[in-house]
Amino acid sequence: MSARRFLSIGECMVELSQAGDGLLRKGFAGDTFNTAWYARACLAADWSVDYFTALGDDAMSDEMVAFIDKSGIGTSLIRRIRGRTPGLYMINLKDGERSFSYWRDNSAARSLAADPDRVREAVESADVVYFSGITLAILPREDAATLLAEIRRAKAAGKLVVFDPNIRPRLWASYDVMHTTISEGARSSVLVMPSFDDEAAHFGDDSIDATIHRYKALGAVNIVVKNGADGVRLNFAGEETFVPAEKVKKVVDTTSAGDSFNGAFLSRYLETGDAPAAARFAAGVAARVVSEHGALVVKEKLGLSGGRARA
Ligand code: AMP
């Protein structure tokens, strides 16, 4: 079978976390990259997973590319821009509470869609295209329009286009722009994978039904609504299923729970087309992710073997 390509589009940042004694530990993470990581961990070897972003030409950009490459994720589509640098965020810890500081206003990734030919080339090369509300939020408005036009072409060509609204109000110029652009992202997609708490807080949905109805009305074909420890609701071709979350002994860190769920879900769904079974598998992977520290949990701790789940 010829290789199939899963393409994730967005921003990966340098992550600094507390390592004790005032020292900082450096890592790399970002919502769409995290999903690519888990898709790579769970997909069979006949799939390639590629990341599409923009980086600079500094040493930190080189290190990030090397890290992505070492993770088994393709870097050939990454745009390198002279004089630019990656975005950075720091995880602060005070009295056990985590908070985040970001330095990403001028990151290279903001220019990832500034060259329409490269966007077209990347999207055309893929069988599955994954992006998020954060991907759209960081782009200048005209570049978001460029990306969405290519995404719509992919949908029209019958590709699986997947969107996680991942709503982060502080990344958007206004609520109005945020609502309009996220709705446009969903309209351009086949499968939408929102988190209910975000949708309730920022779109005012009073129930999961309301979230499903709103995204259906926009033209999304299939919806997976994640609801933390309360499981997920699927609406595939109009058929509803509920899949519970797995019980976790001790939740250690919920960073990237949703991203890992998406990557694991897609890996199974792409292989079998069975959405409820894919959601059960993803609930298992996400449960392991929230039981460990950090956004990127290594494959050995995900209960997988040879790129596929044991069970
Ligand atoms: P969220 O984005 O918070 O809705 O979480 C995504 C997925 O991670 C959920 O659908 C669950 O499968 C899993 N998850 C998140 N929080 C928990 C938790 N406290 N216990 C078990 N699973 C969880």
Side-chain angles (χ1 to χ4, degrees), residues 195 226-229 231-232 245-246 248 251 254 257-258 261 282-283 286-287 290:
S195 286
K226 293 161 284 175
N227 195 16
V232 295
E246 271 195 14
V248 170
V251 175
T254 57
F261 183 96
V290 302

Side-chain angles (χ1 to χ4, degrees), residues 153-198:
R153 285 183 78 237
K155 180 180 181 180
K159 295 183 183 187
L160 179 60
V161 175
V162 187
F163 178 61
D164 183 338
N166 234 333
I167 308 172
R168 299 290 180 272
R170 67 177 165 179
L171 288 176
W172 294 93
S174 70
Y175 254 73
D176 199 33
V177 174
M178 180 175 94
H179 284 152
T180 310
T181 315
I182 285 185
S183 298
E184 199 51 44
R187 187 178 289 121
S188 310
S189 303
V190 177
L191 168 58
V192 180
M193 304 185 77
S195 286
F196 180 63
D197 52 357
D198 284 353

Side-chain angles (χ1 to χ4, degrees), residues 30-306:
D31 68 328
T32 48
F33 177 69
N34 304 343
T35 295
W37 167 279
Y38 290 103
R40 178 63 288 165
C42 300
L43 273 168
D46 61 346
W47 276 90
S48 72
V49 176
D50 273 76
Y51 197 55
F52 183 68
T53 189
L55 286 167
D57 58 353
D58 62 328
M60 199 49 64
S61 295
D62 290 346
E63 244 190 76
M64 192 184 293
V65 169
F67 176 80
I68 296 172
D69 186 55
K70 208 169 121 230
S71 311
I73 295 168
T75 57
S76 64
L77 299 168
I78 293 177
R79 181 166 184 232
R80 305 293 293 267
I81 307 172
R82 194 180 295 264
R84 301 286 291 276
T85 53
L88 177 148
Y89 73 103
M90 193 186 290
I91 305 170
N92 312 298
L93 202 59
K94 193 168 177 229
D95 304 329
E97 285 291 315
R98 288 149 49 93
S99 66
F100 298 86
S101 305
Y102 291 91
W103 293 265
R104 69 192 306 187
D105 289 354
N106 197 31
S107 65
R110 293 197 176 244
S111 302
L112 70 86
D115 180 342
D117 291 344
R118 291 190 70 129
V119 177
R120 174 161 295 192
E121 187 193 345
V123 172
E124 279 187 345
S125 76
D127 301 280
V128 179
V129 181
Y130 180 86
F131 71 118
S132 78
I134 295 178
T135 310
L136 296 175
I138 62 167
L139 301 180
R141 292 304 89 213
E142 71 216 54
D143 292 5
T146 301
L147 177 61
L148 284 168
E150 290 309 323
I151 297 263
R152 278 193 295 275
R153 285 183 78 237
K155 180 180 181 180
K159 295 183 183 187
L160 179 60
V161 175
V162 187
F163 178 61
D164 183 338
N166 234 333
I167 308 172
R168 299 290 180 272
R170 67 177 165 179
L171 288 176
W172 294 93
S174 70
Y175 254 73
D176 199 33
V177 174
M178 180 175 94
H179 284 152
T180 310
T181 315
I182 285 185
S183 298
E184 199 51 44
R187 187 178 289 121
S188 310
S189 303
V190 177
L191 168 58
V192 180
M193 304 185 77
S195 286
F196 180 63
D197 52 357
D198 284 353
E199 306 297 320
H202 306 303
F203 274 97
D205 295 346
D206 59 6
S207 65
I208 291 178
D209 282 336
T211 302
I212 291 174
H213 185 261
R214 184 166 48 76
Y215 284 124
K216 280 255 161 193
L218 286 168
V221 184
N222 300 318
I223 324 265
V224 176
V225 184
K226 293 161 284 175
N227 195 16
D230 292 330
V232 295
R233 275 266 297 283
L234 314 179
N235 186 305
F236 272 66
E239 193 163 319
E240 292 259 347
T241 322
F242 169 74
V243 173
E246 271 195 14
K247 291 247 177 317
V248 170
K249 267 204 201 98
K250 185 168 185 284
V251 175
V252 171
D253 180 357
T254 57
T255 308
S256 93
D259 305 333
S260 66
F261 183 96
N262 293 354
F265 174 88
L266 290 169
S267 72
R268 270 304 163 95
Y269 179 64
L270 290 168
E271 295 283 3
T272 66
D274 182 341
R280 285 190 289 275
F281 170 73
V285 170
R288 289 183 179 99
V289 169
V290 302
S291 307
E292 303 279 343
H293 283 286
L296 305 177
V297 174
V298 294
K299 191 171 170 174
E300 292 67 32
K301 292 187 176 171
L302 297 177
L304 311 166
S305 132

